[in-house]
Amino acid sequence: MSTNAKSNTQTRVEGDVTVVTPTGELDAITSPELAETLEAILGASDPCRGVVIDFSGVDFCDSRCIGVLVAAYRQARDRGIGLAVASPQRTVHRLFTIAGIDQVITIDDDLQRAMKLVLA
């Protein structure tokens, strides 16, 4: 498990899935750190089959975070890697719905189910 001090983002690998767990607020200051983490995972020469971003510890995100998620989705799609968001808090999930990314990116309330979905 690695931790990025600036954004407090942890990653762990479970089988063929990498789980990325940011915590706190994802805004213009902290979202670039999440972007770097996702780019490193998705751009690896021997990538995993699926990535799940566990939003259970994120209590705020803004449009910059939405942009990071959309960019990660596109990169994952282009490489044939499944990507999903799991367990967003109610206010964050509402933002995802308003922004319409729930129509593009799989968002599931259950982390384990999201991990299965990215491999399907």
Side-chain angles (χ1 to χ4, degrees), residues 11 13-14 21 23 26 28 34 45 48 51 54 56 58 62 66 68 70 79 81-82 109:
T11 61
V13 176
E14 292 190 26
T21 309
T23 56
L26 290 171
L34 176 61
S45 59
C48 55
V51 174
D54 179 359
S56 61
V58 175
D62 66 7
I66 299 287
V68 167
V70 170
R79 296 210 60 202
I81 300 169
D109 291 334

Side-chain angles (χ1 to χ4, degrees), residues 40-117:
I41 293 165
L42 295 168
S45 59
D46 186 21
C48 55
R49 288 185 44 220
V51 174
V52 175
I53 308 160
D54 179 359
F55 261 72
S56 61
V58 175
D59 49 27
F60 173 83
C61 73
D62 66 7
S63 61
R64 182 68 184 262
C65 172
I66 299 287
V68 167
L69 293 177
V70 170
Y73 167 77
R74 288 179 178 149
Q75 187 178 10
R77 178 197 62 203
D78 291 349
R79 296 210 60 202
I81 300 169
L83 183 129
V85 171
S87 308
Q89 295 182 24
R90 191 168 50 104
T91 55
V92 173
H93 194 280
R94 184 167 185 261
L95 175 64
F96 291 164
T97 303
I98 291 168
I101 68 164
D102 62 325
Q103 301 299 310
V104 178
I105 299 172
T106 299
I107 300 174
D108 199 290
D109 291 334
D110 182 76
L111 177 62
Q112 296 301 317
R113 191 168 49 231
M115 291 173 66
K116 290 177 184 166
L117 288 171

Side-chain angles (χ1 to χ4, degrees), residues 1-62:
M1 193 176 293
S2 60
T3 301
N4 185 324
K6 290 182 183 178
S7 64
N8 200 25
T9 299
Q10 298 181 348
T11 61
R12 69 181 188 276
V13 176
E14 292 190 26
D16 288 335
V17 178
T18 299
V19 178
V20 178
T21 309
T23 56
E25 298 183 354
L26 290 171
D27 55 21
I29 303 297
T30 55
S31 289
E33 299 299 328
L34 176 61
E36 289 175 16
T37 299
L38 291 169
E39 286 172 14
I41 293 165
L42 295 168
S45 59
D46 186 21
C48 55
R49 288 185 44 220
V51 174
V52 175
I53 308 160
D54 179 359
F55 261 72
S56 61
V58 175
D59 49 27
F60 173 83
C61 73
D62 66 7

